[in-house]
Amino acid sequence: EAQVTQNPRYLITVTGKKLTVTCSQNMNHEYMSWYRQDPGLGLRQIYYSMNVEVTDKGDVPEGYKVSRKEKRNFPLILESPSPNQTSLYFCASRGPGQGHYGYTFGSGTRLTVV
Amino acid sequence: GENVEQHPSTLSVQEGDSAVIKCTYSDSASNYFPWYKQELGKRPQLIIDIRSNVGEKKDQRIAVTLNKTAKHFSLHITETQPEDSAVYFCAASQSNFNKFYFGSGTKLNVKP
């Protein structure tokens, strides 16, 4: 089944403790992206990647890092999480064969930073 | 950067009625406009999209219209059903499809 897989689904952590949210897609998509969703703000793009080793900032990149060492994986790294990074995070990918140009989203990771 | 505004934030309709959600965008370079549906606790899923070279696109009970001059686009759902209840997001992107800018969402409630 074609899908975008994120882990973990839920995560509670403490301020300053480094964490990584993993994302993997099995559709051979070139483009991948991370979004955060907050009430009343919709989805905001954190980072995106056009291919292996090619990444760029979205609208809200502060406090986040990404890497794209393999085409299928696009982890999101929070080096020193803060409470304002408490949010619902979605990984997404897009590529040919979908019938559209938009992103296909993973199931989400709900992060709480205390 | 692009600014996408979406209205209304909540919409309640009776089953069988039509629902319309409107979005405006600020960057005239935007030319791709997808709509996503997000059911409670689920991921956003693309339900319909439109490119700027067309003014309207339909898929069964849903349609999207685009007015490039006025920089607004709308989602139309006819003969609404309870399973249409969800949060709907509009989005805008330029032709490189790298950055997508989302509206703040509309919570649609279809009453049986």
Side-chain angles (χ1 to χ4, degrees), chain A residues 4-11 21-23 34-37 43 87-92 104-111, chain B residues 38 41-44:
Chain A
V4 179
T5 303
Q6 295 177 230
N7 281 296
R9 290 294 307 276
Y10 301 92
L11 179 59
V21 184
T22 64
C23 175
W34 276 101
Y35 289 85
R36 61 177 289 175
Q37 183 176 16
L43 292 132
S87 186
L88 178 59
Y89 291 86
F90 286 100
C91 180
T104 296
F105 286 85
S107 297
T109 296
R110 186 166 292 282
L111 172 66
Chain B
Q38 186 179 27
K42 301 284 183 65
R43 73 191 77 189

Side-chain angles (χ1 to χ4, degrees), chain A residues 2-3 14-15 21-22 26 29 33-34 37 62 78 86 89 91-92 94-95:
Chain A
Q3 60 185 358
V14 295
T15 299
V21 184
T22 64
N26 62 0
H29 285 169
S33 186
W34 276 101
Q37 183 176 16
E62 295 79 19
L78 284 72
T86 293
Y89 291 86
C91 180
R94 68 171 193 86

Side-chain angles (χ1 to χ4, degrees), chain B residues 29-75:
Chain B
S30 292
N31 57 12
Y32 177 67
F33 307 94
W35 284 88
Y36 285 82
K37 175 184 181 182
Q38 186 179 27
E39 296 175 351
L40 189 63
K42 301 284 183 65
R43 73 191 77 189
Q45 292 192 295
L46 192 148
I47 56 171
I48 195 167
D49 58 355
I50 191 167
R51 297 194 71 176
S52 60
N53 57 346
V54 298
E56 183 175 3
K57 184 176 178 180
K58 285 184 179 180
D59 183 2
Q60 299 182 359
R61 294 186 298 107
I62 60 174
V64 56
T65 58
L66 171 65
N67 184 326
K68 281 182 60 179
T69 303
K71 295 199 197 71
H72 67 71
F73 56 112
S74 300
L75 177 71

